[in-house]
């Protein structure tokens, strides 16, 4: 009996501790919201990752306490932290499609996308918000009953709870004794039920809850995220005003007072903001805005040791590089279009982004919330000049405010797309810039093709010299020995002939392998689909191939696609730790190849020569490689090659009749 009482008493104590833990979680949530408001509202995104990661530590502590106090485990399922960015051979650090000089900014962007893209982060926020109202109150219920029982016995029932025909004193005594009895009895069950509720909030849960969560996530992405993005773009647009002032001052002092060393930093800072807004237009507004800047020309050194920039000669590389960078920035028309965008963007942002923001803020905080608060807690009607009414009725302002907030949320995605189109209007490359970038891309592709062809010729020469040629030389020497022994020692001659036959067969096999590496016979005879199927049979993993190719493509295009798929399958078998691979080939105006595996993920072209080789191979045909490989997997490679680029007019080589 004493042991049972100790169990119930300990459960009461655990309930109070769980209630305190829920209250602490609410305080942690308030701290995160204090960072979210300037982070999303004013564009100060550097405030976002830190509070979330600190809150994860608190949630991790809460998970251990729940497991210990309630016996209900709620394991963490956070996505692993991405590895730090690696320095590329050209000295830059890459994140997505952006290059950076140092690792700090790409590392920050990785961490930001990691914490905001992990659904476990939003499950932590859900637990911090809802647990005080669910598990916390349930865990506090036994203690409330234990405390409320004596209060009822002492104070009695209030007048509003009186029942006609029932004595208030008797009713208070019965209810008080019942509360004193039920409090300790219900404590273990309440503590365990609180643990189950916390686990339901902290983990993914069953299918029905995942379906409900996916719908809520979809709504949040459509409405909530759009509203946050509108606020962030508004903050970034206003942030452009001081940058515009600094840019104009740099140009005035540079050209007006001859302080030309101020021009390059001013224009570079402006380009950074413009590039960031191009990236946001593509990811938030679904309006891709490529960079329009002309490629920086290489520094030319003359035979006499001088550096030439235009018509000017310099003795030192530093001065030549400074002058070249200045000319590169100021002679590019995209730079002056950036300045025009920087001047007009705050005005356009105010016209486009303020209306939906005002509808949401005023609808919730100016109409609905004040009236709800005054309805639930009757207090003097203060601030009546600012809080709106509908037809003189304060209650009617509640649905009107919610309707305004809903309308603002519905307008946010449309406003985002309009703002993206506005950004593309001034920040997208012009026809001339596109042609210049095209020329630069073709120049790099041609250089890559020449280098790849030279490397392939060296490989073929090395394989012939070390393989088939050496065996043919040995075969000739064997036949010479046979010629000398055929009359004097026929048995030895016969043995040498058998050895020569084996050497000839080995040389033939190596020649066939060499030919297959240059251009596989199955690819020439049966086409890309059957060649990929044959390649799948030689892969040590189960590979499923789905092909929808209505007609044969040109030989160079099929060869590039075949070897790209071969490299992708090799990566999946060697490095991904995959159990199965799926290959899909479709072709209309674009040959689209998808290679997906269920491996560990984390593939990055910046850190792997195999993926960079695929990019170079596809780049010869204006193809692109898209890598979707989050840490933990799965990995999905999407290769797209324009079929028109394989025509005789544009391809690197063509078939001859």
């Amino acid at each position: 009996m004493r042991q049972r009482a100790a169990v119930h008493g300990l459960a009461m104590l655990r309930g109070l501790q769980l209630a305190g833990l829920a209250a602490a979680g609410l305080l942690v949530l308030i701290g995160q919201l204090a960072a979210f408001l300037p982070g999303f509202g004013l564009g100060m995104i550097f405030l976002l990752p830190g509070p979330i990661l600190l809150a994860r530590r608190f949630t991790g502590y809460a998970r251990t306490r729940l497991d210990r106090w309630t016996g209900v485990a709620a394991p963490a399922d956070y996505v692993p932290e991405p590895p730090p960015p690696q320095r590329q051979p050209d000295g830059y650090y890459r994140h997505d499609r952006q290059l950076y000089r140092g690792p700090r900014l790409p590392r920050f962007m990785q961490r930001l996308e990691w914490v905001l893209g992990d659904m476990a982060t939003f499950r932590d926020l859900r637990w911090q918000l809802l647990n005080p109202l669910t598990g916390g109150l349930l865990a506090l219920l036994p203690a409330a009953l234990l405390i409320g029982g004596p209060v009822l016995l002492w104070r009695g029932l209030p007048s509003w709870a009186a029942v006609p025909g029932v004595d208030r004193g008797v009713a208070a005594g019965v209810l008080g004794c019942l509360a004193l009895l039920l409090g300790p009895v219900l404590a273990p069950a309440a503590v365990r039920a609180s643990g189950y509720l916390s686990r339901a909030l902290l983990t993914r849960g069953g299918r029905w809850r995942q379906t409900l969560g996916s719908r809520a996530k979809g709504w949040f992405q459509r409405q909530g995220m759009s509203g946050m993005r509108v606020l962030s773009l508004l903050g970034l647009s206003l942030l452009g005003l001081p940058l515009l002032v600094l840019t104009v001052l740099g140009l005035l002092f540079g050209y007006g007072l001859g302080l030309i060393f101020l021009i390059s930093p001013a224009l570079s800072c402006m380009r950074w903001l413009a590039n960031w807004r191009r990236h946001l237009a593509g990811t938030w507004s679904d309006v891709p805005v490529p960079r329009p800047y002309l490629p920086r020309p290489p520094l030319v050194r003359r035979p006499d040791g001088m550096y030439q920039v235009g018509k000017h000669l310099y003795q030192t590389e530093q001065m030549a590089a400074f002058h070249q960078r200045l000319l590169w920035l100021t002679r590019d028309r995209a730079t002056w279009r950036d300045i025009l965008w920087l001047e007009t963007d705050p005005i356009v942002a105010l016209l486009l982004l303020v209306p939906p923001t005002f509808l949401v803020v005023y609808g919730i905080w100016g109409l609905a919330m004040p009236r709800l608060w005054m309805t639930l807690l009757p207090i003097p009607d203060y601030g009546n000049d600012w809080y709106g009414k509908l037809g003189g009725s304060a209650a009617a302002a509640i649905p009107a405010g919610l309707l305004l907030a809903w309308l603002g949320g519905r307008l946010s995605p449309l406003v985002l797309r309009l703002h993206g189109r506005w950004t593309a209007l001034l920040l997208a490359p012009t026809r001339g810039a596109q042609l210049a970038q095209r020329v630069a891309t073709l120049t790099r592709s041609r250089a890559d093709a020449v280098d790849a062809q030279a490397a392939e010729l060296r490989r073929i020469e090395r394989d012939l010299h070390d393989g088939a040629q050496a065996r043919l030389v040995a075969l000739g020497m064997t036949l010479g020995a046979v010629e000398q022994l055929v009359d004097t020692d026929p048995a030895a001659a016969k043995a040498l002939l058998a050895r020569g036959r084996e050497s000839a067969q080995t040389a033939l096999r190596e020649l066939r392998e060499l030919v297959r590496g240059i251009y596989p016979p199955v690819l020439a005879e049966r086409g890309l689909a059957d060649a990929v199927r044959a390649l799948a049979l030689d892969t040590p993993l189960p590979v499923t191939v789905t092909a929808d190719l209505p007609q044969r493509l040109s030989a160079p295009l099929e060869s590039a696609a075949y070897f790209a798929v071969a490299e992708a399958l090799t990566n999946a078998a060697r490095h991904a730790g995959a159990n199965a691979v799926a290959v899909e080939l479709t072709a209309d105006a674009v040959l689209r190849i998808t290679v997906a595996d269920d491996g560990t993920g984390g593939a990055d072209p910046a850190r792997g020569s195999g993926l960079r080789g695929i990019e170079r191979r596809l780049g010869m045909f204006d193809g692109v490689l898209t890598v979707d490989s989050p840490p933990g997997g799965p990995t999905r490679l999407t290769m797209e090659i324009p079929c028109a680029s394989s025509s005789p007019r544009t391809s690197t080589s063509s078939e001859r009749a």
Side-chain angles (χ1 to χ4, degrees):
M1 187 68 180
R2 184 177 302 174
Q3 183 178 2
R4 200 167 184 180
V7 169
H8 288 273
L10 182 61
M12 297 279 293
L13 179 61
R14 295 303 189 204
L16 292 174
Q17 291 174 324
L18 288 173
L21 192 66
L26 188 59
L27 295 178
V28 171
L29 176 64
I30 294 174
Q32 292 180 84
L33 293 178
F36 287 172
L37 290 178
F40 288 110
L42 301 178
M44 303 170 68
I45 58 175
F46 60 88
L47 297 176
L48 297 177
I52 296 177
L53 294 177
L54 289 177
R56 281 192 178 185
R57 294 187 178 182
F58 169 78
T59 310
Y61 171 78
R63 292 176 192 270
T64 59
R65 297 297 96 185
L66 288 171
D67 189 7
R68 181 177 178 181
W69 294 342
T70 68
V72 180
D77 56 350
Y78 299 116
V79 174
E81 184 176 0
Q86 300 295 324
R87 188 175 185 179
Q88 297 189 0
D90 56 2
Y92 286 93
Y93 293 85
R94 177 177 175 177
H95 173 69
D96 197 10
R97 297 187 178 181
Q98 177 77 25
L99 295 178
Y100 300 89
R101 292 187 178 276
R104 296 183 60 184
L105 190 56
R107 176 62 174 165
F108 168 77
M109 296 304 302
Q110 281 185 349
R111 290 169 63 86
L112 180 64
E113 294 176 358
W114 168 52
V115 296
L116 294 182
D118 190 355
M119 287 307 300
T121 298
F122 297 96
R123 287 193 286 272
D124 289 352
L125 294 175
R126 178 179 64 185
W127 175 79
Q128 295 162 12
L129 175 64
L130 299 180
N131 188 52
L133 303 177
T134 56
L137 288 180
L138 185 60
L140 191 62
L141 179 61
L145 291 175
L146 190 63
I147 296 174
V151 172
L152 285 175
L153 294 175
W154 176 43
R155 300 286 300 271
L157 285 177
S159 58
W160 57 266
V163 179
V166 178
D167 184 78
R168 290 173 57 186
V170 174
V174 171
L175 292 177
C177 293
L178 188 61
L180 285 172
L181 178 64
L182 289 179
V185 171
L186 295 177
V191 167
R192 192 158 185 85
S194 175
Y196 282 121
L197 287 175
S198 295
R199 184 175 68 179
L201 293 174
L202 285 172
T203 57
R204 297 182 181 181
R207 180 179 300 177
W208 68 271
R209 197 151 51 83
Q210 291 183 13
T211 303
L212 183 62
S214 63
R215 292 181 179 179
K217 178 185 175 182
W219 178 88
F220 180 75
Q221 289 179 343
R222 290 191 303 270
Q223 309 297 332
M225 285 299 295
S226 297
M228 292 183 180
R229 288 169 178 174
V230 166
L231 283 175
S232 300
L233 286 177
L234 184 60
L236 287 175
S237 299
L238 298 179
L239 182 64
L241 290 175
L243 184 59
L244 174 63
V245 173
L246 293 177
T247 303
V248 172
L249 290 177
L251 294 177
L252 289 177
F253 287 129
Y255 288 110
L257 301 179
L259 304 175
I260 58 175
F261 60 88
L262 297 176
I263 298 177
S264 295
L267 297 181
S268 298
C269 292
M270 182 189 61
R271 280 196 175 186
W272 175 85
L273 180 60
N275 287 331
W276 179 243
R277 294 294 296 275
R278 291 185 183 98
H279 172 73
L280 294 182
T283 55
W284 289 2
S285 305
D286 294 329
V287 180
V289 184
R291 295 188 181 186
Y293 306 117
L294 297 176
R296 185 173 180 177
L299 195 61
V300 179
R301 187 172 187 179
R302 293 162 50 93
D304 57 1
M306 303 286 285
Y307 293 92
Q308 181 177 355
V309 179
K311 297 182 179 180
H312 299 275
L313 299 178
Y314 298 89
Q315 292 183 347
T316 61
E317 183 179 0
Q318 291 77 10
M319 288 300 300
F322 169 78
H323 189 196
Q324 182 199 56
R325 178 177 177 80
L326 180 62
L327 294 179
W328 172 57
L329 290 171
T330 56
R331 291 184 178 180
D332 193 345
R333 295 183 179 180
T335 300
W336 307 106
R337 296 179 72 217
D338 288 351
I339 295 178
L340 178 61
W341 164 80
L342 199 60
E343 294 173 349
T344 55
D345 183 63
I347 301 174
V348 175
L350 290 176
L351 295 177
L352 285 179
L353 305 179
V354 167
T357 305
F358 174 78
L359 290 176
V360 173
V361 173
Y362 185 71
I364 294 178
W365 301 106
L367 293 178
M369 288 299 296
R371 303 307 173 187
L372 283 173
W373 186 258
M374 294 177 185
T375 303
L376 296 176
L377 296 176
I379 56 178
D381 192 8
Y382 63 90
N384 217 16
D385 295 336
W386 189 80
Y387 298 145
K389 294 183 178 181
L390 186 64
S393 173
I398 296 176
L402 296 177
L403 181 62
L404 286 180
W406 176 83
L407 182 61
R410 296 288 294 179
L411 287 177
S412 295
L414 176 61
V415 167
L416 279 177
R417 287 193 294 270
L418 290 176
H419 192 268
R421 294 183 181 277
W422 148 253
T423 303
L425 182 64
L426 287 182
L427 295 185
T430 61
R431 182 63 177 172
Q434 289 178 348
L435 290 176
Q437 292 177 349
R438 174 67 172 164
V439 170
T441 302
L442 290 178
T443 301
R444 288 195 300 269
S445 298
R446 183 181 62 182
D448 290 341
V450 171
D451 294 341
Q453 184 180 15
E456 186 69 11
L457 289 176
R458 288 193 298 269
R459 183 187 69 83
I460 294 172
E461 186 273 335
R462 183 173 60 253
D463 292 345
L464 286 175
H465 182 272
D466 298 340
Q469 179 180 341
R471 296 193 181 278
L472 290 176
V473 171
L475 178 59
M477 296 174 64
T478 300
L479 292 177
V482 169
E483 184 179 5
Q484 296 177 2
L485 294 175
V486 67
D487 295 329
T488 60
D489 193 352
K494 186 176 180 180
L496 288 176
L497 283 175
R499 189 184 304 172
R501 183 175 66 252
E502 293 177 358
S503 298
Q505 291 175 352
T506 304
L508 180 60
R509 184 174 63 253
E510 291 179 350
L511 286 173
R512 286 174 177 172
E513 292 176 355
L514 182 62
V515 171
R516 189 180 297 112
I518 298 173
Y519 196 84
V522 65
L523 181 61
E525 297 171 1
R526 305 184 60 179
L528 179 61
D530 289 338
V532 172
R533 291 189 180 97
L535 189 64
L537 295 177
D538 296 333
T539 303
L541 296 175
V543 180
T544 303
V545 179
T546 304
D548 182 14
L549 303 178
Q551 60 185 2
R552 290 289 301 270
L553 303 173
S554 66
L557 186 61
E558 286 188 340
S559 177
Y562 173 84
F563 286 107
V565 173
E567 183 66 33
L569 293 178
T570 301
N571 290 340
R574 291 183 178 177
H575 309 296
N579 297 319
V581 184
V583 181
E584 183 179 356
L585 300 94
T586 59
D588 38 36
V590 175
L591 173 61
R592 185 173 291 103
I593 306 172
T594 303
V595 181
D597 65 68
D598 58 352
T600 57
D604 186 0
R607 296 186 287 111
S609 58
L611 295 178
R612 291 181 65 87
I614 294 176
E615 284 185 333
R616 289 193 297 267
R617 189 182 296 275
L618 300 181
M620 302 177 191
F621 299 88
D622 298 334
V624 294
L625 170 66
T626 303
V627 180
D628 182 12
S629 182
T635 297
R636 186 181 183 88
L637 306 182
T638 303
M639 295 169 270
E640 295 182 349
I641 310 175
C643 295
S645 66
S646 61
S647 63
R649 290 180 178 271
T650 59
S651 64
T652 56
S653 61
S654 60
E655 295 179 290
R656 294 185 179 181

